[in-house]
Amino acid sequence: RSEQARLGAGVVEEDTEEWQRDPGFAGLERVGGVDLSYIKGDDSSACASLVVLSYPALEVLYEDCRMVTVSAPYVAGFLAFREVPFLVEAVQRLQQEEPRLRPQVLLVDGNGLLHPRGFGVACHLGVLTDLPCIGVAKNLLQVDGLVRDELHREQIRSLQREGDTFPLTGTSGRALGMVSCGDNNNSSKPLYISVGHRVCLETAVRLVKSCCRYRIPEPIRQ
């Protein structure tokens, strides 16, 4: 907890790059996606993946996928301590091998500020790499009074008609993320988007939606 608090003090929840302020993201050329996928039935063997796509064409420029052995135990709320070291190593390898392909933003399969202590995987990775990061989760993490109840499901159903978003505002009154069922997703299953580092929530949502050919944004899907 103390390490999360120490690193969390470095999270920047606003846009820091020129391209983020442009309506069409002019100047954005490389978008990265990261994920750690486990072998079924084995929570110690995983594939750590980093993919970099061109933007806006979303064509693969770089791939780094390798099997890793995960030794840290899983503790709810502390997933980043299991996974982030391998993702940081992947970013460092890219920096050494193909520095010109360094992504200008990372989409992370997981949460950012939408976390019990406001410091999920996307925040953790962002602070350690100093890259803009966005959390993109497939399921709602029930924190700060947020629950997947009938009201939540009704809000999601309304999104399918409107192709819009709605904020995830907890009992604290703070918007921890945004639910998106955008036009590109064409799915009853929404995405839960949250700020990781060096990006504001509105920009994060716009960028994720612009990267969706299917439900999952292309950098993470690849």
Side-chain angles (χ1 to χ4, degrees):
R1 285 173 183 269
S2 61
E3 180 72 354
Q4 284 181 328
R6 183 182 71 81
L7 293 172
V11 171
V12 176
E13 300 176 38
E14 56 191 43
D15 293 339
T16 60
E17 310 302 300
E18 284 298 319
W19 61 262
Q20 293 168 329
R21 301 180 179 93
D22 185 274
F25 295 127
L28 176 60
E29 298 177 350
R30 297 173 306 283
V31 180
V34 293
D35 189 18
L36 207 73
S37 307
Y38 294 87
I39 291 180
K40 208 166 187 177
D42 182 355
D43 63 0
S44 64
S45 296
C47 182
S49 304
L50 164 64
V51 178
V52 181
L53 306 187
S54 64
Y55 189 90
L58 302 177
E59 295 173 346
V60 177
L61 301 174
Y62 174 92
E63 292 177 85
D64 179 356
C65 303
R66 57 184 67 196
M67 296 304 297
V68 297
T69 300
V70 183
S71 57
Y74 170 72
V75 181
F78 298 94
L79 178 67
F81 291 97
R82 264 174 73 81
E83 300 191 346
V84 163
F86 302 108
L87 303 178
V88 170
E89 286 175 7
V91 173
Q92 290 172 339
R93 278 194 300 272
L94 167 58
Q95 183 64 39
Q96 291 164 1
E97 297 168 8
E98 297 277 3
R100 64 186 181 83
L101 295 180
R102 179 179 170 88
Q104 293 161 276
V105 59
L106 282 175
L107 271 54
V108 182
D109 186 6
N111 292 297
L113 296 178
L114 183 59
H115 178 270
R117 286 168 298 285
F119 194 69
V121 173
C123 296
H124 207 127
L125 183 62
V127 170
L128 293 183
T129 61
D130 198 32
L131 283 170
C133 279
I134 299 169
V136 184
K138 296 181 281 291
N139 299 296
L140 175 64
L141 187 62
Q142 302 191 42
V143 298
D144 195 22
L146 294 170
V147 289
R148 193 177 173 84
D149 57 9
E150 186 52 40
L151 172 61
H152 184 78
R153 286 188 283 270
E154 178 52 41
Q155 287 175 308
I156 290 171
R157 284 192 288 270
S158 72
L159 286 185
Q160 289 174 266
R161 292 190 293 271
E162 298 165 15
D164 206 347
T165 58
F166 70 84
L168 287 163
T169 304
T171 52
S172 64
R174 185 182 185 201
L176 300 177
M178 196 78 80
V179 182
S180 172
C181 233
D183 304 326
N184 297 357
N185 295 331
N186 190 28
S187 169
S188 60
K189 298 177 178 177
L191 294 175
Y192 296 90
I193 302 166
S194 55
V195 168
H197 184 50
R198 293 179 56 187
V199 63
C200 76
L201 185 55
E202 180 188 353
T203 299
V205 171
R206 280 199 304 123
L207 181 63
V208 169
K209 290 176 83 166
S210 77
C211 289
C212 286
R213 287 177 177 160
Y214 306 97
R215 178 197 174 201
I216 305 300
E218 241 3 57
I220 293 176
R221 194 179 78 87
Q222 289 290 346

